[in-house]
Amino acid sequence: QGFAQACINLNIVAGGKAADLIRDIQVTNWYPFAQLSDLERIVIEAYEQAAPILERVGMEMMLGWYRFGPGKDIIKKGVDFLYFQTGSQGYASVVKGPEHLVGSFSLVEIDEAKGRALIRSTTPFNKDLERGVIIGGMSAPGDLDYIDVKNDEDPRSFKIEFC
């Protein structure tokens, strides 16, 4: 639902197929991963440069989670979002299933003084979307001036810089 709502909020046009997929989605329900994969595929097919769009969708998803979901009660400052990923705690709050199928999204290390962190992801989700999730989750409280997330060396390792 978060992905679908983010696309609506951002006026991402992906045609009738996307509208059909999100028509009956309810915010409080759980949905199969295949439904998200179908939406993601439609967005990728609709845009020549889908990476920045998926990143923005991830950001918007987390802003919605923070503003309208439990986010404000869980994270008070941007770095709290990183700590929420310890042991895949954050990921497990929105994705259900056995780890061998859903993977993990975990904080590996953090150095607050240097403004650096590392998250390791073995999820089946698009890494552009996940990069946006990190940026959106960290920026939602509004206390950080700078957030940079890179995963170009290893797509499953997100190097994060912040201040």
Side-chain angles (χ1 to χ4, degrees):
Q1 193 280 340
F3 187 99
Q5 188 61 52
C7 288
I8 291 167
N9 293 352
L10 296 169
N11 296 313
I12 293 174
V13 179
K17 290 180 191 176
D20 290 344
L21 280 172
I22 65 174
R23 182 181 352 256
D24 297 321
I25 289 179
Q26 300 295 319
V27 69
T28 56
N29 293 346
W30 290 91
Y31 296 93
F33 176 72
Q35 195 166 358
L36 173 68
S37 292
D38 289 344
L39 277 170
E40 184 179 277
R41 181 184 40 75
I42 290 168
V43 170
I44 290 170
E45 289 172 357
Y47 292 93
E48 190 174 317
Q49 297 292 323
I53 292 168
L54 289 169
E55 184 175 296
R56 187 67 183 103
V57 167
M59 293 169 67
E60 186 70 17
M61 286 170 57
M62 297 316 300
L63 292 174
W65 171 82
Y66 183 80
R67 292 179 186 143
F68 308 114
K72 282 185 183 177
D73 296 329
I74 297 169
I75 58 173
K76 303 298 181 198
K77 47 188 188 156
V79 73
D80 293 346
F81 180 79
L82 295 174
Y83 286 112
F84 189 49
Q85 305 316 315
T86 303
S88 285
Q89 179 182 349
Y91 181 61
S93 72
V94 294
V95 176
K96 294 187 183 286
E99 187 173 330
H100 73 277
L101 291 177
V102 299
S104 64
F105 191 81
S106 301
L107 179 64
V108 175
E109 61 187 57
I110 187 168
D111 185 333
E112 282 191 61
K114 291 183 179 177
R116 293 188 184 145
L118 178 67
I119 286 180
R120 178 86 175 139
S121 172
T122 60
T123 76
F125 293 101
N126 178 287
K127 299 311 172 202
D128 299 316
L129 179 71
E130 286 188 337
R131 199 171 40 256
V133 163
I134 296 167
I135 295 167
M138 291 183 71
S139 64
D143 65 312
L144 295 174
D145 294 322
Y146 174 78
I147 303 163
D148 187 40
V149 180
K150 290 190 168 104
N151 64 317
D152 45 359
E153 291 176 29
D154 175 1
R156 296 187 176 273
S157 293
F158 294 92
K159 292 182 178 181
I160 304 156
E161 293 183 5
F162 57 92
C163 65

